């Protein structure tokens, strides 16, 4: 996917057998491994003897948590951390997580990955009763609901269970009270969440790569609708909503997750490679090399190459040092093609017929530039293959596309798109092929509503944004 | 007052005739003039077309608002700013103001100077209904109440009026909605708040010195219990609680305010000088010089000198560059007297009989060090005169003394205190003299409960702290 | 190469037809593309009307040059920039470049990539005459020599020519005077340096990838021993030392440079791929996949795969967000294998016989960990192939290995090394194969002294470090 | 003195009996007490086992040395620190001190307070021999000369002695080698420098107030022309240039130094008070109050009040929180009088005849604003009394006035000046009165060239600036 469609976040949590464990280091490292899920802001909250200390700010983990900031956090019994996505607009410091609050029953810290579709309605309902909001996050809405439910419930577990009945949409939550750490995943299981362990600690993370990097062993995924509670004496599971339809966001496999992660039992790398193989069968073409758009097109390109027997090659180098002002600074050179993070490897593409694999197309502007760059570097033909079906519908669960009008597929045929991006040929993965793959992978229920318009749960006609823009007059 | 008893804050607000006025500069300068009321954190919120942008952080105004941060704030119709006091404990970034929230009726930004005595009760009541808190400030409690009342009221003015019925304690508030700027002062008028104007702008500030520095002319003080609303077409006043007892905190004159400020019609400098004159009549002593403890004892020392005919002199230089770590770093030199911000001017004190004027004594430890330093520098006699009556009772409205046990006066006679601080003589201002002065100044009703135990409004036996420390188990 | 052997830097310079051109943006973008050559510090100097303004500091380009810092630099006629390598020891802010000085003839700014082998001797000689040093860089030594020569010469060109006679070792220099921009490359051409152009500007960069990203077209490489002077009216070339032996550092192709760069006419990507092909022919082995150690082993792995017909696959994901404290923080988890920037993709390696390609081995500790990680992830066999000959000798021109005793090859046979890193088989590229490749590539003269012990110029027995450690007693 | 004429710096040094003493804290505190001598930049260098670690940057001591930066400096045997003045132009990070260099004989760190009048000539001479400069400071010139002399001398003491023969102008130096700490003061003793001690440490500081604050006891002043060397076994004094004319800069007493300092045996406070008394006798006038311009006019005002019997009063409050952007931000309010750091205390000045004491007048613009502000606040008469003679000549030793044309006295009579600043009367201290006072104070030889045009040493007709502005063409 060349354009950003990232409404992602990453969560990480840890509970220790010891009451004064140096957990901030582990959370820091875990968040670094999840950084691809969100570069805007990050934060860590530590629970020491029931009191919660935290630090959060705009910026990458490496910037917000230099050594002396990690050491300024106390040792404790448990802790949670978060990385947040970067929108195109201005970043809001206030929206950084964990959200740490005080309510009638004590302290609470929450981190959240996902997107509620009834956040606006819940907020309207809460506001009707006098609730005030300091952020524009769904997380704050969730905190309010948990607190409301906690007032009526006997335990935090019961409160979270009742909260889940009121939330609609995608959410993977870590909830830290004075004495407990809870992990909860929405009934559809839209967003990933897994549990790991080391000798002394129980760990939760959005992706298994964060377990690997912190030396934790993957135990299992949190199940859709499941609440896992960790206290000193036990790990307790409550399974809710068993009968609700399931639907892990297919884009986790296609784009969001790191290839080395395993989600709900399926390797992300293998999924992508399988898609590539499938594309090779479905949409073969004579060519000299197969190349992927870094980084999310690489695994599928590998699969395409293996299946087709055409050589896999690198067509680009992707800079990993591109700063916030890069694009803008590069544009000062007044050259349309300049400013991409990708630079073609001329020797690899010159005079070649190239099968170019990208994970998806959103607006089409970036892939158009990429193809132009390849042609300028001498590519003879560029055959674009997309490692997912055509993206045709808005999504409120996982991507940031709230209107199909913004999609390149809107009112365009495949050939229109091909012309627009100036490819010699263009093929998307068949939706049936995708279903085949998921079947082979034993992924019973993926949400692929963005390709089909059919979602595991009903989506309202209009979804209002949870922002501060309305004005009292 | 040698020890910090500062529970103060400073507020500044401005409303412009223009809709895109560069207000951030003026607020920055105004807050600089109020910085003595709070060094911990500061913030500015600007309302542009109903949307509120803000920036707040720990640190002095000069640190939080370098040029590029001021310029990052938009031009707008109105804006408010705040400086916050520094407690002895760790500073909390979350507590910085303005508090900016969204509620059913729109956006709201609030700054607050004062101390509610029913904050804990209000919070408990709010929490009972599911309210959540992200700070430990009274301001957040006030926001909640305003929002609750706004839901039931026809206008923000009515909501604030009803809010004021529920708040007990001291508060001077600036409230910015999408379209209006409101200033409100508690019925007792514990905390100062004045209104000024320039050609194009209406300005509010905690002290008139902030009007002076921004080129605004003092119009008048906001009255106790008054709500002033500024909109495009008019400045409207609502006077509430006219019959309630009044009581501007006497410590505003004695210690908090800048000498160049005029509060409720009385010059702070003149008040202090009058106290000094009064002390000279009440507690004369033969001596060579009169000197004040910088800075809050200087004006009274001047009055004492004028009245007594004894030369006013400087006994100390006070460093203005003392950083946060200074005291601690100085202590590394392992010298008890080192680390004071004051250094004696030896030539001025050596061999001299000194009348030393301090504004008040809280715990007595600092004045003891100061006298020791004078003696080490050769002072022959040190006669301590305190420019206020003995501080004998806790105060929840203006100072940070929540228990009389922490006061030097607790279970000690004046002579006990004299011995403890090692003065040759010690006299406090008589409470009657204080009353005389206030009468002469035409200040009808000052709150001097800290000297008398009698407050303008009833104080509950126990006042619970509004903190996050309670733990759910 | 798994261990860092980076004594690299990157240089970038630009000269404009206009006298007030906004050059800082272009230099910023160019340095970002060269960031892989040095992450420790960076800097930019701009010449406006003969006066030189500059900013340099520790940190990545994106950190040192946020938007407001770029804009704080003036527009100008020419400018140069630098990125500096990170040593294992503490970074020294003082060593950041450009070095900007004033001398008898005016102002001078210099950036340097390379390593002098007579820096210590030159410094001793300079110190003998009273020179003082504020850094431990060769660049400062070079500045001193240029200035000495300038005093005797008629022009800066002549001075640089004479300077080059005194410098021994590797250097690619950009030298900015009040009116001229000079580029110079050592007689052996150890370090790369190329020239490009846009419509209005002449550009110099360490690698062509920095031209691409700034929209400049590659004109040609600066020749070994060549001095190019750019002034308003002309671009002038002086070729010196034509008869001296040439020797571009082979490690530029093997490891340092970006694959998309073209150095001295040879594509780095192609060179690496050719090496991989060569290895496949030289050291075949039956296996399931070929995988490279990211990033510098990937291109060779591609070549090996193409030649052998064994599938290329990804064995690892490499995190791009690893902060400065990452390794250390990860080690807090007390797991030897944790802390690598690489995480294996289990599905790709489990049960597989793997041909693993790395660019080189220095100390062997990292590759040992990498192989252990692969085995832990289930690899059945790991056949290590090194895309360069055995690294057997110290190098003072390009890598940071100043003593052969630190190399894994010291007193070890290939089989000893194989056992140490726990590979099933291990083969290095034959030195003859390397020569073959370079011949095919028409690279007449590479320096491969680290593999052969034979350098293009004589190396003294002992090379003293240019540091501040000596103590006067 | 209302306008800045500050070419000052502050130096602090310490030598410990222990080899691993935590000295950075003490230096930090000492520099804080000297901060009034320079707010632009500061730095600390610590010598541990002969190696010198340092940190220096733009900003106040409290900003450059937060706790973790102080702790990042090693414990050591000795250390030196520096605060540097702020010019009106842009601050140069490069000019921060200590200057730390390496030369043939080892490491050297130098801090300097003063102004050489032959810096340009020395630099030209040094440049002629190939010297290069990275700063525009005299300190770098001094380092060069010390190093040159060190090459020819048997010891650092001898080298410094010979260096002093070549330096012309004002300088108080602290010089730290690998094993010794040296303090040196120019033959005229233009700049102050004193020595103190604690139980375990020898301390040097520009002013005695820095000894007081660090718990050190004043031993004595370093004599004009004296070099004091501290090593493990002894404190050794070399007195040079005994016969040269002496001349401590009179402005140290008048303006630069803190009132609590004692310089060359004379209390700064007493000197200023004596001047005030003298003014009262010399230029009496009927008035209601005497007030000083804070802070440097206050002590003299006190003396004037004592002598005249007219009440001393405070006319202004001076803000101590004024940030770097304050003046500029305040000007956004488009009010000429706004932006002063001083705010009048209306009650003290309204309807009053005021004797206003300022320490000096440079350009006259600020005092004009101050008087305007007093009149606006209702002052009936303003009689300006200047606590020094008319400033008529350029000075290259202590103030930043390099041309008499910039002085308000240039081509103006006293009455012209009076009119320009809009005072009712204006009197300067008689030069004879000044001489009387200095005689009474037993200050044999002050430099008062700025009042008389006669300097202790000959001043060249033209003094060239030591800058980078010359351009090679």
């Amino acid at each position: 996917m060349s354009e950003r469609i990232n409404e992602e976040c990453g969560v990480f949590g840890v509970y220790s057998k010891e009451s004064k464990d140096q957990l901030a280091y582990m959370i820091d490292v875990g968040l670094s491994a999840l950084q691809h899920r969100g570069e805007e802001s990050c934060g860590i909250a530590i629970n020491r003897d029931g009191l919660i200390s935290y630090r959060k700010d705009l910026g990458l983990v490496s910037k917000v948590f230099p050594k002396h900031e990690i050491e300024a956090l106390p040792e404790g019994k448990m802790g949670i951390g978060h990385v947040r996505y970067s929108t195109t607009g201005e970043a809001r410091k206030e929206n950084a997580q964990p959200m740490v609050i005080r309510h009638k029953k004590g302290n609470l810290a929450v981190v959240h990955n996902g997107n509620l579709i009834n956040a606006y309605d819940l907020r309207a309902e809460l506001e009707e009763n006098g609730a005030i909001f300091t952020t524009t996050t769904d997380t704050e809405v969730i905190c309010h609901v948990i607190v409301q439910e906690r007032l009526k419930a006997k335990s935090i577990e019961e409160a979270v269970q009742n909260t889940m009945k009121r939330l609609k949409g995608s959410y993977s939550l870590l909830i830290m009270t004075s004495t407990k750490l809870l992990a909860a995943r929405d009934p559809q299981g839209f967003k990933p969440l897994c549990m790991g362990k080391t000798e002394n600690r129980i760990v939760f993370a959005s992706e298994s790569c964060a377990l690997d990097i912190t030396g934790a062993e993957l135990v299992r995924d949190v199940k859709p609708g499941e609440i896992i509670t960790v206290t000193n004496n036990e790990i307790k599971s409550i399974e809710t909503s068993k009968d609700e339809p399931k639907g892990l966001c297919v884009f986790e496999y296609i784009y969001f997750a790191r290839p080395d992660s395993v989600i709900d039992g399926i390797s992300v790398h293998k999924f992508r490679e399988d898609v590539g193989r499938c594309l090779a069968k479905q949409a073969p073409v004579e060519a000299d090399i197969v190349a992927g758009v870094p980084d999310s097109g690489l695994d599928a390109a590998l699969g395409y190459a293996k299946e087709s027997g055409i050589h896999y090659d690198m067509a680009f180098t992707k800079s990993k040092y591109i700063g916030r002002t890069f694009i803008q600074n590069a544009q000062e050179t007044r050259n349309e093609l300049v400013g991409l993070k990708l630079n073609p490897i001329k020797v690899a593409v010159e005079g070649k017929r190239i099968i170019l694999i990208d994970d998806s197309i959103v607006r089409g502007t970036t892939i158009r530039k990429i193809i132009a760059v390849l042609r300028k570097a001498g590519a003879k033909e560029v055959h674009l293959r997309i490692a997912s079906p055509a993206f045709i519908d808005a999504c409120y669960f996982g991507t940031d596309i709230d209107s199909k009008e913004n999609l390149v597929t809107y009112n365009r045929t495949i050939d229109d798109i091909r012309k627009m991006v100036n490819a010699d040929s263009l093929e998307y993965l068949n939706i049936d092929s995708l279903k085949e793959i998921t079947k082979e992978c034993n992924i019973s229920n993926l949400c692929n509503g963005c390709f089909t318009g059919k979602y595991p749960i009903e989506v309202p006609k209009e979804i209002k944004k949870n922002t501060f823009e309305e004005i009292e007059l």
Side-chain angles (χ1 to χ4, degrees), chain A:
Chain A
M1 184 182 314
S2 330
E3 290 97 2
R4 162 177 291 285
I5 55 161
N6 202 347
E7 179 99 6
E8 283 308 286
C9 294
V11 302
F12 191 91
V14 54
Y15 188 102
S16 173
K17 284 188 186 166
E18 301 168 39
S19 65
K20 287 194 178 49
D21 203 352
Q22 181 42 288
L23 302 172
Y25 279 117
M26 188 195 216
I27 300 172
D28 173 74
V29 169
L31 291 180
S32 291
L34 298 172
Q35 185 85 77
H36 61 286
R37 297 183 72 85
E39 299 187 349
E40 180 186 291
S41 66
C42 59
I44 296 176
I46 300 288
N47 177 331
R48 177 183 188 137
D49 299 335
L51 295 178
I52 297 174
S53 301
Y54 63 105
R55 168 169 169 73
K56 56 184 182 180
D57 208 343
L58 293 175
L60 296 179
V61 176
S62 59
K63 185 193 148 210
V64 176
F65 291 102
K67 194 163 184 294
H68 69 269
E69 291 291 352
I70 294 178
E71 291 181 349
L73 286 166
E75 298 179 325
K77 182 76 186 166
M78 46 186 151
I80 59 177
H82 192 264
V83 290
R84 186 176 162 78
Y85 72 100
S86 178
T87 59
T88 48
E90 201 193 357
R92 290 180 64 104
K93 196 188 273 191
E94 287 69 40
N95 285 350
Q97 301 189 25
M99 178 103 202
V100 180
I101 63 149
R102 195 198 170 284
H103 64 114
K104 186 174 160 53
K105 299 286 188 167
N107 300 320
L108 197 69
V110 176
V111 289
H112 168 229
N113 173 29
N115 209 21
L116 301 186
I117 57 172
N118 65 337
Y120 184 89
D121 298 332
L122 286 170
R123 198 163 85 166
E125 184 193 323
L126 290 158
E127 282 178 356
E128 205 64 55
N129 290 311
I132 67 176
F133 291 84
T134 59
T135 76
T136 55
T137 63
D138 290 352
T139 317
E140 193 173 16
V141 173
I142 294 171
C143 284
H144 273 285
V145 179
I146 292 174
V147 165
Q148 277 196 340
E149 295 300 331
R150 182 68 186 90
L151 288 176
K152 293 182 278 182
K154 285 191 191 129
S155 68
I156 182 71
E157 290 88 332
E158 191 187 323
V160 172
Q161 221 171 327
N162 292 334
T163 296
M164 288 170 70
K165 289 174 191 157
R166 293 173 61 187
L167 305 181
K168 291 201 189 324
S170 62
Y171 53 88
S172 282
L173 295 169
L174 296 179
I175 300 161
M176 184 165 73
T177 73
S178 300
T179 57
K180 295 174 183 172
L181 178 63
L182 290 86
R185 197 171 166 197
D186 65 68
Q188 282 65 51
F190 281 117
K191 293 291 159 190
L193 187 60
C194 64
M195 180 166 69
K197 66 172 182 186
T198 67
E199 205 180 332
N200 283 306
R201 299 165 178 172
I202 297 297
V203 185
F204 295 97
S206 289
E207 293 183 31
S208 64
C209 66
L211 302 183
D212 298 341
I213 210 84
T214 56
E217 187 188 332
L218 176 62
V219 175
R220 66 172 175 89
D221 291 84
V222 178
K223 294 176 202 159
E226 185 181 13
I227 302 164
I228 296 181
T229 310
V230 189
T231 57
N232 243 341
N233 304 316
E234 56 178 348
I235 300 173
K236 203 171 62 183
S237 163
I238 303 170
E239 286 193 55
T240 72
S241 337
K242 280 194 183 175
D243 303 331
E244 286 207 35
K246 307 305 173 200
L248 176 76
C249 170
V250 66
F251 258 97
E252 288 289 342
Y253 290 121
I254 291 174
Y255 174 72
F256 294 142
R258 248 172 63 167
D260 51 333
S261 286
V262 174
I263 298 178
D264 288 351
I266 306 304
S267 154
V268 173
H269 173 72
K270 179 164 188 319
F271 185 96
R272 292 180 188 172
E273 194 176 312
D274 286 354
V275 167
R277 285 180 185 276
C278 205
L279 264 177
K281 282 183 278 188
Q282 174 202 314
V285 60
E286 225 172 286
D288 301 307
I289 64 165
V290 180
V293 175
D295 293 325
S296 54
L298 298 180
D299 308 76
L302 215 50
Y304 196 108
K306 285 181 183 174
E307 185 68 32
S308 66
I310 300 170
H311 282 315
Y312 175 87
D313 210 333
M314 293 171 195
F316 307 96
T317 298
K318 182 177 182 180
S319 177
K320 55 181 176 175
Y321 298 105
I322 299 305
R324 197 166 278 251
T325 51
F326 172 79
I327 302 298
Q328 167 190 349
N329 294 354
Q331 281 164 349
E332 291 289 316
T333 64
R334 304 179 190 90
N335 178 335
E336 198 210 354
L337 300 185
V338 161
L340 286 171
K341 294 188 184 185
L342 302 177
N343 196 33
I345 298 177
K346 201 174 180 185
V347 72
V349 304
E350 195 167 22
K352 300 280 172 60
R353 294 167 302 170
I354 302 169
I355 299 170
L356 183 69
I357 316 282
D358 203 356
D359 65 277
S360 57
I361 309 180
V362 183
R363 276 173 296 270
T365 46
T366 305
I367 191 69
R368 187 167 54 82
K369 278 194 194 177
I370 289 172
I371 291 173
V373 155
L374 284 181
R375 292 198 186 276
K376 186 155 177 271
K380 220 162 73 185
E381 296 172 14
V382 180
H383 300 277
L384 185 60
R385 295 294 176 271
I386 302 303
S388 59
F391 194 147
I392 57 163
D393 207 4
C395 169
Y396 303 98
F397 304 108
T399 62
D400 202 17
I401 301 303
D402 59 1
S403 165
K404 57 172 78 171
E405 283 81 357
N406 297 325
L407 294 166
V408 73
T409 48
Y410 188 72
N411 277 345
R412 276 199 194 85
T413 64
I414 300 288
D415 199 56
D416 290 343
I417 300 171
R418 184 194 63 73
K419 282 176 194 154
M420 179 201 154
V421 303
N422 194 22
D424 291 287
S425 71
L426 163 63
E427 297 255 10
Y428 283 93
L429 182 71
N430 283 341
I431 183 76
D432 289 338
S433 304
L434 177 63
K435 284 177 185 165
E436 189 79 13
I437 291 163
T438 57
K439 210 169 111 189
E440 274 170 27
C441 286
N442 283 319
I443 315 173
S444 47
N445 291 292
L446 280 181
C447 172
N448 50 26
C450 48
F451 308 135
T452 62
K454 288 177 201 153
Y455 299 90
I457 57 172
E458 204 183 343
V459 178
K461 286 255 166 74
E462 190 200 5
I463 293 184
K464 288 189 186 155
K465 282 261 179 183
N466 181 15
T467 68
F468 271 21
E469 281 157 32
E470 298 84 6
I471 304 173
E472 171 199 34
L473 287 168

